[in-house]
Amino acid sequence: MKTQIGIIGAGPAGLLLARILQMNGIESVILERRSRDYVLARLRAGVLEQGTVDTLRAYGVNERLDRDGMPHEQTTFYWNERRHVIVIADEAGRRLTTYGQNRIVEDLITLREADGLPILFEAQVEALDGLTDRPAITYVQDGARKTLECDFIAGCDGYLGVSRRYIPDADAHSYLHEFPFSWFGILAEAPPKPEKRGFAHHVRGLAVASARSPRQSRLYLQVDPDFEIDSMSDDQIWDELDLRLTDETGTPLNRGPITEKSVARLRAFVCERMQHGKLAIAGDAAHIVPPSGAKGLNLAVGDVRLLAEAIGRHLRGDDDLLSRYSELALQRIWPTVHWSCLMSEALHVFPGQTGFDTRRQHMTLDHWINSETGSRRFREAMLGLPYAV
Ligand code: RFL
């Protein structure tokens, strides 16, 4: 089989890249190791920067987003049993929008399938060849080994994918930081209260209240790395969330059946080599951020916009942008990783944390909440950096 661009991974990065390429008259084949049902059921992120919403609109992925996306113009810190509001919307009308990553993935798959374009599910990529000359992807589907020949390969296969290892010296140019805690996330059939959306900094650890739809709440608790998912009853989970997200009004969260539970270790990772010959990596394949800043999906969108433009120019014989892909992408990635780590450092309780450490966290929170420069910095970081293209 032959195509112009072989895309590994049907996550948001791979699917959106395929969509942008399609709109620019460039054909692609997506290879995805998981089944269609598995990919559609994966929950993950849900807070979109204005730039992500605008990008999805620009490529016609907005029908359901415009109807069901929940814009929000402020966020809240719960700290010392008080509620502190920071305005997020800016003078240019930018704001954040809640719309689940699973719904973006579903919208992109539906559009692609309606256009009759190929996504091969349960196609596990095993090897890449010819990266400086004639790229080829070897994959296994239905027990058979097959080859996809292409002009260029986009590795959008997430943190544990195969493509990064085909970039020479990728490990030597990668940076990993592991935080000493995890996030226990739940999805509940409970209408989120808009006034309860936000982050809690509590002596028992961080908590986060967010939404996935007007009927679904997405909530997180900081837990130890060895936390066992069944060690808390549903009532204990709700009680712990209400305790950490407490404020002067004592308003509790809306409760409802918990439909999903997951635990994820907090990490930050950046690979500074994002391209080699006719291979480039994008999204979680190149970087991951702790979820406190809600930036993982938004960063993937920034990479993919840039990569689509670089691939288009490469196919027309101009490699200048492609040769600068890593450099330009990193201009968004490092500040965003830094911000996500700053938020993590200010909001969690660290093992062995001293009173001195706690007072320094309070200084950071006080700066964001009570100072004009701090609030502006917080707002700008949450709204996201401009794109290179
Ligand atoms: P994805 O979404 O991981 O997609 C990569 C795809 O590649 C496939 N794949 C392969 N396919 C073929 N052959 C192979 N050899 C392959 N190896 C892998 C995988 O099956 C998968 O379908 O990466 P992408 O597209 O870069 O998108 C990035 C976002 O998914 C990610 O940044 C965010 O979801 C991060 N993230 C969260 N961000 C938030 O802002 N808020 C959250 O609450 C939040 N929760 C999460 C998350 C990421 C998680 N993962 C990756 C551990 C929760 C989890 C569990």
Side-chain angles (χ1 to χ4, degrees):
M1 188 167 45
K2 280 189 177 178
T3 188
Q4 284 183 290
I5 313 302
I7 298 177
I8 311 170
L15 288 163
L16 181 61
L17 177 65
R19 179 77 183 170
I20 301 177
L21 293 174
Q22 176 196 347
M23 295 305 201
N24 285 286
I26 300 169
E27 68 174 41
S28 64
V29 171
I30 302 177
L31 302 169
E32 166 56 52
R33 76 185 175 104
R34 299 287 193 178
S35 69
R36 188 177 186 280
D37 287 350
Y38 185 98
V39 168
L40 289 176
R42 231 170 11 198
L43 202 59
R44 298 187 173 175
V47 179
L48 312 184
E49 293 173 359
Q50 188 68 51
T52 296
V53 171
D54 293 345
T55 303
L56 292 169
R57 283 201 183 120
Y59 294 100
V61 197
N62 59 314
E63 198 188 311
R64 200 163 55 150
L65 167 64
D66 286 343
R67 197 184 60 228
D68 295 351
M70 295 186 292
H72 46 110
E73 309 206 332
Q74 60 184 46
T75 196
T76 307
F77 283 117
Y78 295 87
W79 171 36
N80 279 343
E81 305 196 355
R82 288 194 53 208
R83 182 170 176 268
H84 309 265
V85 172
I86 301 186
V87 174
I88 295 288
D90 72 0
E91 309 76 29
R94 295 188 303 159
R95 53 192 179 175
L96 297 173
T97 298
T98 296
Y99 185 70
Q101 174 171 327
N102 56 328
R103 306 185 91 197
I104 296 176
V105 163
E106 185 179 6
D107 293 344
L108 284 161
I109 290 176
T110 305
L111 286 168
R112 188 164 176 87
E113 290 178 340
D115 290 336
L117 298 173
I119 311 183
L120 278 55
F121 290 101
E122 298 178 70
Q124 164 108 20
V125 172
E126 305 241 301
L128 312 183
D129 292 289
L131 295 176
T132 52
D133 179 20
R134 297 164 68 84
I137 303 175
T138 303
Y139 63 98
V140 174
Q141 193 183 31
D142 298 329
R145 253 178 123 72
K146 304 178 186 179
T147 302
L148 174 67
E149 292 174 20
C150 46
D151 298 324
F152 195 93
I153 299 173
C156 301
D157 46 353
Y159 181 54
L160 299 174
V162 292
S163 52
R164 193 172 61 244
R165 76 170 89 118
Y166 287 89
I167 297 186
D169 286 342
D171 286 350
H173 292 87
S174 295
Y175 302 88
L176 172 68
H177 178 74
E178 291 220 314
F179 288 89
F181 34 73
S182 298
W183 275 25
F184 175 34
I186 64 159
L187 186 73
E189 292 300 320
K193 288 184 178 169
E195 73 278 16
K196 288 296 280 189
R197 183 197 306 270
F199 304 89
H201 173 69
H202 191 273
V203 287
R204 293 173 66 86
L206 157 143
V208 180
S210 66
R212 283 297 175 271
S213 77
R215 294 167 308 284
Q216 286 180 312
S217 296
R218 179 75 167 147
L219 301 138
Y220 301 93
L221 289 169
Q222 175 188 347
V223 293
D224 291 336
D226 58 359
F227 176 81
E228 290 193 10
I229 225 162
D230 296 324
S231 61
M232 288 174 87
S233 69
D234 290 5
D235 283 343
Q236 285 172 324
I237 295 169
W238 287 113
D239 289 347
E240 186 68 26
L241 284 162
D242 274 333
L243 183 67
R244 296 190 194 182
L245 288 156
T246 194
D247 63 17
E248 56 273 53
T249 66
T251 317
L253 294 160
N254 280 331
R255 297 189 180 194
I258 296 176
T259 54
E260 209 205 85
K261 299 177 184 175
S262 62
V263 180
R265 183 76 186 261
L266 260 68
R267 293 189 181 89
F269 170 81
V270 179
C271 171
E272 291 190 338
R273 289 271 161 99
M274 296 173 64
Q275 180 254 332
H276 163 67
K278 298 184 180 194
L279 165 70
I281 57 175
D284 276 20
H287 43 74
I288 48 175
V289 285
S292 342
K295 293 297 184 190
L297 170 62
N298 294 295
L299 270 186
V301 170
D303 291 353
V304 156
R305 284 174 60 117
L306 179 60
L307 182 57
E309 180 65 25
I311 289 174
R313 293 192 201 178
H314 166 74
L315 295 178
R316 296 193 296 274
D318 174 3
D319 276 349
D320 181 56
L321 190 62
L322 185 60
S323 67
R324 295 168 56 224
Y325 169 62
S326 301
E327 174 203 328
L328 292 173
L330 288 165
Q331 287 175 10
R332 290 189 94 238
I333 294 164
W334 267 121
T336 308
V337 169
H338 175 57
W339 172 254
S340 303
C341 290
L342 266 183
M343 279 196 75
S344 298
E345 285 152 11
L347 289 167
H348 293 87
V349 175
F350 285 70
Q353 179 164 324
T354 64
F356 182 85
D357 300 328
T358 306
R359 273 158 190 75
R360 289 200 54 219
Q361 289 180 319
H362 291 178
M363 286 296 98
T364 305
L365 292 174
D366 183 61
H367 183 58
W368 289 339
I369 293 165
N370 293 319
S371 114
E372 202 180 309
T373 46
S375 301
R376 192 181 321 118
R377 162 86 180 105
F378 187 87
R379 181 169 66 238
E380 284 172 2
M382 292 305 284
L383 288 171
L385 293 168
Y387 297 118
V389 295

